[in-house]
Amino acid sequence: HWLGGTGSRDTAPRVLRSELEPGAARALEAACRSLGVTPATAVRTAWGIAADFVAGTTGNLFAVPVTLRNPELEDVGKICGMLTETTLVRVDTLPGKDSAWAAREHQRQWAESLEHQHLGISGIERALDAPRELAWSLVGFDASPSSQTHRLESGLQAMVAVTADGTHYPVNLHVTAGERWTVELESDPGKVPEHSAAALLRAFGRALESITGPAVPLARLELVDTQQVRGFETSGTPRMENVDLLPELFAERVRLTPGATAVVFAGIRHSFADLAARVTQATVRLRALLRDPGTGGHPILALRLPRGVDAVVAILAALESGIALMPLDPAWPQERVKAAMGLSRAALLWNGEGLQATGLEAPSCRIPAAPEARDTASIIFTSGSTGEPKAVVVSHRAMAHLYARHCKELYPVGETLAVAHTSAFHFDAHWDAFMSLFAGHELHLLTEDQYLDPFTLAAYVREEGIGYLDFTPTLWNALLVDGGLGTLPRICVAGGEPFPAALWDRMATMAAGSGSRVLNLYGTTEPTVDAMA
């Protein structure tokens, strides 16, 4: 969940306000008429787009109060006035479509849902067998605010002096139409950081404006200022400055525990001192193969080695030398490898045939004396599940921040774990286990034969005392069901695909009282490696 904290409604809610000027309000109302949608539809659509943008997810569910008459109630036709219910809403979006399309599509879906809205949120959650509440916000809209003063038949005049309302949702949005549209965003300070609330309000306003403006694909909408995005973290944790880079961390670890086991592969243990000696040799070889220093960008090392200690040495040597690392899948067809090499103009290639220069680097290729925070540390290609694989550039600073966060939230303090490394080196998620090296943990490189066979894996976990294990939920399920793993390791990490609620609940039950932790680190490659849950 992107919200943080454990706030309580005992805390006074934070309220942020904004207005839609008369000209902007009239333009929005005119756009709604032109599109054939209601202003309420525009509000819901804009909130769905804004919530997705700020939360970094798609299809956020939110609550909407509705007035209706439940046809299942006896003598419903004799009831004076209207009854209210709260229903669940989701705004469907497509990256290539614009806000106007999203509003029309939401209007259509809203009309189809009218006959079912009397079920309410409780009915929907029962039907879905939801293990927890599905919405984190509520959206209300007053199309024509009523007068606060009422004249009675007796001649007396009644005035509404005070109104009060409240919900248990961490975020509540209320929009009132009129000559000037007013927008109020109420949030729980204990669960919603102030900058997140401000970003939601600003993003909502811009999403509303996008309905009236030129057609812009939703993927290109900028709902938050670029300056605000820098250093933005939804957890509200301040950005860490002056963190040590990974090469510095490795050097310090070698100094502190030179004789401790760093890597275990194929039954052979390698100490930090042994590993450091091999890294130094590899660094000399990398630099010797590069051309004379220039003034341009950093050189790139394409890595296409099988799992093993050589791959670990190559990664550490690239980090140490300041050469950008570009791991490639050994199973890729030659055409894809050629395309990646041509796109990156990688100066060096390290594969099963050894380390070699490619001749592709630009003449101005610069060999840094030592890596700097802003320099490129790694280039990771996405899986291509949404199209062609994309190259994502990761800086040394970003890697250092990821490690610092893992030391606070992932790796246990004061313990040395046997960490199973089960991800391919060309996946960004492999860094979660790999970085444990810098914290002094023992990295076990498992082969595919070891981690894809539930029985073999379960035996290895027991024999080696593995305390950290990272898998996709599918493999976790196979390990627990077929492999017969009766006790969870100290740290259990899942990622790479959605985590089924039933598996989550089962692992949580197994972890209860044992000191184990179960973490869902599923995250998209472009903005982040992990999203902690």
Side-chain angles (χ1 to χ4, degrees):
H1 207 291
W2 75 282
L3 297 175
T6 56
S8 165
R9 272 306 185 188
D10 293 337
T11 305
R14 177 198 303 115
V15 180
L16 302 178
R17 295 179 174 85
S18 67
E19 284 189 346
L20 219 60
E21 296 295 333
R26 288 193 296 270
L28 178 59
E29 291 166 353
C32 289
R33 289 192 295 270
S34 175
L35 294 171
V37 303
T38 65
T41 294
V43 167
R44 293 192 300 270
T45 301
W47 180 251
I49 294 171
D52 282 354
F53 186 91
V54 175
T57 58
T58 57
N60 274 282
L61 294 168
F62 54 93
V64 173
V66 292
T67 56
L68 46 78
R69 287 175 177 269
N70 186 347
E72 297 178 359
L73 291 178
E74 186 177 356
D75 296 327
V76 67
K78 299 179 181 179
I79 299 177
C80 295
M82 296 295 290
L83 305 178
T84 61
E85 185 56 89
T86 305
T87 190
L88 273 178
V89 175
R90 184 186 71 190
V91 175
D92 288 336
T93 59
L94 290 175
K97 299 293 186 179
D98 60 10
S99 300
W101 176 90
R104 288 192 297 266
E105 178 64 13
H106 180 58
Q107 177 81 29
R108 182 187 66 79
Q109 294 180 357
W110 180 264
E112 291 180 351
S113 73
L114 290 176
E115 61 181 302
H116 308 292
Q117 289 182 357
H118 64 276
L119 293 173
I121 286 183
S122 58
I124 294 172
E125 291 180 342
R126 281 197 303 271
L128 295 175
D129 194 24
R132 58 189 64 85
E133 195 164 37
L134 298 176
W136 52 264
S137 65
L138 180 140
V139 177
F141 176 70
D142 283 346
S144 53
S146 57
S147 171
Q148 299 290 0
T149 302
H150 305 271
R151 186 171 298 279
L152 307 180
E153 291 184 1
S154 62
L156 295 175
Q157 183 170 286
M159 176 177 293
V160 178
V162 178
T163 60
D165 195 8
T167 77
H168 68 286
Y169 293 105
V171 178
N172 296 277
L173 179 80
H174 189 80
V175 181
T176 303
E179 183 179 359
R180 292 174 180 267
W181 282 32
T182 60
V183 181
E184 286 191 355
L185 189 138
E186 178 185 291
S187 59
D188 183 344
K191 291 185 176 181
V192 186
E194 186 172 2
H195 67 270
S196 296
L200 279 167
L201 183 62
R202 185 176 294 106
F204 172 72
R206 292 187 178 180
L208 267 183
E209 293 172 2
S210 71
I211 296 176
T212 67
V216 176
L218 291 171
R220 296 184 180 178
L221 276 184
E222 291 294 344
L223 301 185
V224 178
D225 294 330
T226 304
Q227 190 62 35
Q228 183 185 15
V229 172
R230 293 174 183 169
F232 179 83
E233 297 179 280
T234 54
S235 66
T237 305
R239 177 174 173 168
M240 296 170 288
E241 299 292 347
N242 302 319
V243 291
D244 291 332
L245 303 186
L246 299 190
E248 298 167 345
L249 293 167
F250 181 66
E252 178 65 9
R253 179 50 51 189
V254 172
R255 187 188 68 81
L256 291 174
T257 56
T261 298
V263 177
V264 179
F265 180 69
I268 301 176
R269 295 176 177 269
H270 304 265
S271 70
F272 279 97
D274 294 339
L275 193 62
R278 294 182 60 175
V279 169
T280 298
Q281 294 173 357
T283 301
V284 172
R285 293 175 60 200
L286 287 173
R287 289 178 172 274
L289 283 172
L290 291 172
R291 295 181 181 179
D292 294 335
T295 58
H298 282 66
I300 296 171
L301 167 66
L303 181 65
R304 203 173 181 223
L305 286 173
R307 296 182 67 78
V309 179
D310 283 348
V312 175
V313 170
I315 292 171
L316 293 172
L319 292 171
E320 173 69 27
S321 62
I323 297 173
L325 177 72
M326 185 176 73
L328 301 178
D329 186 350
W332 271 7
Q334 195 58 38
E335 294 77 12
R336 180 172 287 186
V337 174
K338 185 177 180 180
M341 296 294 288
L343 176 66
S344 64
R345 299 188 63 79
L348 302 172
L349 171 65
W350 197 337
N351 58 17
E353 298 177 0
L355 177 61
Q356 55 194 287
T358 65
L360 294 174
E361 81 276 14
S364 61
C365 187
R366 178 171 65 89
I367 308 173
E372 298 180 5
R374 66 176 181 272
D375 291 340
T376 298
S378 178
I379 299 172
I380 294 290
F381 281 88
T382 61
S383 63
S385 58
T386 58
E388 279 294 312
K390 299 182 289 293
V392 180
V393 177
V394 186
S395 69
H396 276 273
R397 177 186 290 111
M399 300 286 274
H401 278 250
L402 179 64
Y403 171 76
R405 182 54 50 84
H406 279 356
C407 285
K408 291 185 176 182
E409 300 181 353
L410 184 57
Y411 308 139
V413 178
E415 297 181 49
T416 299
L417 297 183
V419 176
H421 187 287
T422 58
S423 294
F425 290 114
H426 63 279
F427 287 153
D428 61 340
H430 101 86
W431 288 105
D432 293 331
F434 190 92
M435 285 182 175
S436 68
L437 264 180
F438 308 121
H441 298 289
E442 189 177 279
L443 192 66
H444 289 244
L445 290 178
L446 273 62
T447 65
E448 287 191 2
D449 290 339
Q450 288 175 316
Y451 67 75
L452 291 182
D453 183 333
F455 297 102
T456 302
L457 176 60
Y460 190 93
V461 169
R462 288 190 293 266
E463 292 168 5
E464 295 293 335
I466 296 297
Y468 177 109
L469 195 55
D470 184 349
F471 274 132
T472 63
T474 298
L475 288 175
W476 267 115
N477 190 65
L479 180 61
L480 297 178
V481 175
D482 301 326
L485 188 66
T487 304
L488 293 179
R490 175 78 172 80
I491 306 294
C492 303
V493 176
E497 63 188 34
F499 203 141
L503 178 61
W504 176 272
D505 292 340
R506 177 179 182 177
M507 294 182 70
T509 300
M510 293 179 67
S514 67
S516 298
R517 295 174 64 208
V518 181
L519 300 162
N520 180 10
L521 298 189
Y522 192 20
T524 53
T525 301
E526 291 87 343
T528 181
V529 175
D530 309 306
M532 184 74 73

